[in-house]
Amino acid sequence: MEKQLWKPGNMLYPLPAVLVSVAGTDGEKNILTVAWTGTVCSNPPMVSISVRPERYSYKMLKETGEFVINLTTEELVYAVDYCGVKSGRDVDKFDKMKLTSLPANEVRAPLIAESPVNIECRVTEVKPLGSHDMFLAEVVAVHVREDYMDENHKFHLEDAKPIVYSHGSYYSLGRGLGTFGYSVRKKR
């Protein structure tokens, strides 16, 4: 198999495309789309998002040290794109995208009701990295939509039809291929 050598760059795809909601100290709120996000630690539960300092939401993130990661779905893909290309300086994205703002339990940033999972986060460190600053945060609360729970209280994110972002395009996730540990599980 032949390979081409490319200059160094971020080719770690696909990525989750999430809607991050923030609120300022004066009550203003905004939504930004973030693909540079991920799990950092499981105990304590921690995540990160990376945001350019010139983004409208950056000031609110720095002021409050709080945000909510709202997972996205096929139903939300238009809002995901819109919230990534339009600035909150110019438009109320909750209103324009007809998204429902709900109060969070632990942070001032709102939840997005239409999201299947909302992850409330409190920043523990901001690390300037170059074009983006990384916000390391502890997860302080998680909300899941009950309509994706089964009778045994198991959550089924796959029923929400989550999406990912890859090199300029949004994709739905396909069929399941296995579960954690299936490669070493004893055959019956």
Side-chain angles (χ1 to χ4, degrees):
M1 255 182 256
E2 294 290 323
K3 298 252 182 174
Q4 289 184 5
L5 179 62
W6 288 7
K7 69 177 183 167
N10 294 325
M11 291 296 292
L12 184 61
Y13 290 114
L15 300 164
V18 299
L19 292 172
V20 173
S21 47
V22 297
T25 54
D26 61 0
E28 64 189 308
K29 60 186 177 187
N30 193 42
I31 306 167
L32 70 152
T33 300
V34 174
W36 293 4
T37 183
T39 298
V40 175
C41 186
S42 58
N43 187 18
M46 294 186 75
V47 294
S48 71
I49 61 171
S50 292
V51 179
R52 289 180 182 270
E54 60 269 16
R55 295 288 298 261
Y56 177 67
S57 296
Y58 182 89
K59 178 178 167 268
M60 289 181 250
L61 281 165
K62 288 284 280 193
E63 275 180 355
T64 66
E66 299 174 344
F67 60 91
V68 176
I69 294 174
N70 302 277
L71 298 191
T72 57
T73 63
E74 289 179 18
E75 190 175 283
L76 290 169
V77 71
Y78 187 86
V80 170
D81 188 64
Y82 185 89
C83 292
V85 297
K86 287 294 193 177
S87 175
R89 287 182 188 95
D90 305 322
V91 65
D92 178 340
K93 296 177 194 177
F94 278 98
D95 182 56
K96 188 72 174 174
M97 291 292 98
K98 296 181 179 21
L99 295 173
T100 309
S101 171
L102 296 175
N105 283 52
E106 301 294 326
V107 300
R108 74 180 73 215
L111 312 178
I112 297 174
E114 292 78 7
S115 171
V117 178
N118 316 94
I119 305 167
E120 295 185 45
C121 304
R122 192 163 289 127
V123 175
T124 59
E125 181 181 347
V126 179
K127 188 167 181 67
L129 297 172
S131 63
H132 291 68
D133 286 0
M134 182 175 62
F135 292 80
L136 281 170
E138 188 165 351
V139 174
V140 295
V142 176
H143 305 261
V144 297
R145 277 187 32 193
E146 290 180 357
D147 50 335
Y148 296 113
M149 303 284 285
D150 68 19
E151 62 279 353
N152 297 317
H153 303 288
K154 182 175 180 193
F155 182 68
H156 292 276
L157 180 61
E158 68 277 10
D159 292 344
K161 299 182 181 168
I163 62 169
V164 294
Y165 177 82
S166 183
H167 210 64
S169 297
Y170 305 98
Y171 295 93
S172 60
L173 293 178
R175 62 187 171 82
L177 302 175
T179 57
F180 180 77
Y182 85 99
S183 65
V184 296
R185 199 169 294 126
K186 293 189 183 210
K187 310 287 187 250
R188 295 183 195 249

